[in-house]
Amino acid sequence: MDIKESYDVVVVGGGAAGLSAALVLGRSRRSVLVIDAGEPRNAGAGHMHNYLGREGATPAELLTAGREEVGRYGVEVRSGRVVSAVRTGGGFALGLEDGGSVSARRLVLATGVVDELPQVPGLEERFGRDVLHCPYCHGWEVADSPLGVVASGADCVERALLFRQWSEDVVILLNGRPAPQGEDAERLAARGIRWVPGRIARVVVEDDAVTGVELAGGEFVPRAALVVTTVPTPDTTLLDAVGGPEAPGVKVVGNAATPYGGVISSAADGMVAGTLINHDLLLEETAAAVAEYRNTPKGRAA
Ligand SMILES: Cc1cc2nc3c(=O)[nH]c(=O)nc-3n(C[C@H](O)[C@H](O)[C@H](O)COP(=O)(O)OP(=O)(O)OC[C@H]3O[C@@H](n4cnc5c(N)ncnc54)[C@H](O)[C@@H]3O)c2cc1C
């Protein structure tokens, strides 16, 4: 790899986690490059919640502010995708999708996750708007609305009970799954939650809003929003290439490390990792300085 640029730290991923790591590292006078593919997990959501001080901001507003803030401390943010990583004598060499390459003494992987949704036509297009996975992110906005929980795994009962906190009108759409039995059925009945058998043929959207689902038999179930369980899946290609999460010189932060964390906890994670990396670098620099000092007359005399 023909390396043209080198940094103390390269941060792969410029979401809340990566930018927070970059902020503390920039303020620590480190040379830092953030490379970001620009697809944060919550991009489809109109607003971001539970971020104290920025409640209700759009995801893009937070990241725009974050980029501006890290820029004040000399951090470079570049759009692009890192496609390869190898460990070198001095740290890491990273290959970019555009053919470029950079090197870093330390590496922060803040690459987030991709949410895999149940395979139902029309769900993906509405994800983050009126197809929802997280009551803490969206529950308030759909409070008192008719909600349909799309059963896709064993947790549909818990999910329905959870969203019941926000609406009295919650229905489980079984979508070919078996009906709840025994204690589960009793808990749902006690909370007034019904279930509807039948496979979902498609999500019905009118005037840019979900109005319900159509079942395979043609029946329409009116719902104002749908609830899904996603599988948050990290891409571990880069991490695997450099030796995994415990490998020296690497920090994995945010959703890439904790898929169920929110924006503020991802930011906190990045901030803490940034301080640890700075500490690690200064230990390395101090050790090098001591070795050099011992070779000086003053050092030899000490
Ligand atoms: C629909 C939805 C709504 C949500 N709403 C909320 C909410 O209201 N409040 C809340 O607290 N949480 C919310 N979340 C969760 C929130 O999105 C995550 O907690 C947060 O985005 C995690 O931040 P992160 O920095 O770890 O990852 P991300 O924000 O996903 O950022 C990762 C970045 O890394 C980039 N990247 C990935 N691979 C590479 C690569 N190889 N090279 C370069 N760049 C790369 C991606 O393109 C992306 O820009 C929501 C999630 C979803 C799905």
Side-chain angles (χ1 to χ4, degrees):
M1 215 182 272
D2 179 23
I3 304 289
K4 295 196 177 56
E5 299 164 89
S6 56
Y7 295 84
D8 287 330
V9 185
V10 169
V11 178
V12 186
L19 287 174
S20 295
L23 182 60
V24 71
L25 284 160
R27 286 177 49 78
S28 306
R29 311 183 74 183
R30 297 295 176 185
S31 62
V32 182
L33 172 67
V34 178
I35 304 171
D36 183 38
E39 294 167 353
R41 183 181 180 192
N42 55 351
H47 302 98
M48 180 194 68
H49 299 284
N50 299 311
Y51 198 106
L52 193 64
R54 298 304 296 253
E55 173 58 25
T58 68
E61 278 166 0
L62 183 80
L63 299 183
T64 301
R67 283 182 173 219
E68 188 275 318
E69 287 167 5
V70 301
R72 287 183 216 164
Y73 303 103
V75 172
E76 284 178 53
V77 182
R78 200 177 296 175
S79 296
R81 183 173 289 278
V82 177
V83 292
S84 68
V86 288
R87 195 174 277 280
T88 61
F92 305 91
L94 305 175
L96 312 186
E97 199 173 41
D98 66 5
S101 56
V102 293
S103 73
R105 295 167 64 197
R106 300 292 183 273
L107 182 61
V108 176
L109 294 176
T111 47
V113 291
V114 172
D115 287 280
E116 290 176 14
L117 272 68
Q119 293 295 305
V120 172
L123 273 187
E124 186 129 19
E125 294 86 329
R126 306 295 309 179
F127 185 51
R129 300 173 71 191
D130 36 25
V131 170
L132 315 169
H133 74 305
C134 164
Y136 304 104
C137 308
H138 307 281
W140 180 272
E141 285 66 36
V142 296
D144 300 325
S145 304
L147 304 179
V149 176
V150 178
S152 61
D155 80 335
C156 72
V157 171
E158 292 303 325
R159 199 136 283 257
L161 291 168
L162 184 58
F163 271 87
R164 174 65 179 74
Q165 170 67 16
W166 283 267
S167 173
E168 289 182 3
D169 185 357
V170 178
V171 163
I172 298 178
L173 302 159
L174 288 176
N175 195 26
R177 300 228 154 219
Q181 303 288 327
E183 200 181 323
D184 279 345
E186 186 183 36
R187 291 163 81 206
L188 292 171
R191 295 293 277 156
I193 299 170
R194 301 179 291 122
W195 56 85
V196 177
R199 284 205 176 275
I200 304 170
R202 67 182 182 103
V203 175
V204 181
V205 178
E206 281 168 28
D207 295 330
D208 199 27
V210 165
T211 57
V213 295
E214 186 182 306
L215 302 181
E219 186 192 342
F220 176 66
V221 184
R223 299 285 92 188
L226 300 172
V227 173
V228 291
T229 298
T230 72
V231 182
T233 308
D235 179 346
T236 61
T237 312
L238 300 176
L239 182 60
D240 295 342
V242 294
E246 305 303 325
V250 184
K251 290 275 180 231
V252 188
V253 298
N255 274 184
T258 316
Y260 295 98
V263 182
I264 203 162
S265 58
S266 299
D269 199 19
M271 186 270 174
V272 172
T275 65
L276 294 174
I277 286 175
N278 181 55
H279 198 77
D280 186 33
L281 283 170
L282 72 84
L283 290 180
E284 180 180 282
E285 287 152 4
T286 305
V290 167
E292 203 175 309
Y293 176 71
R294 284 179 183 160
N295 275 331
T296 63
K298 209 170 159 191
R300 276 193 292 271

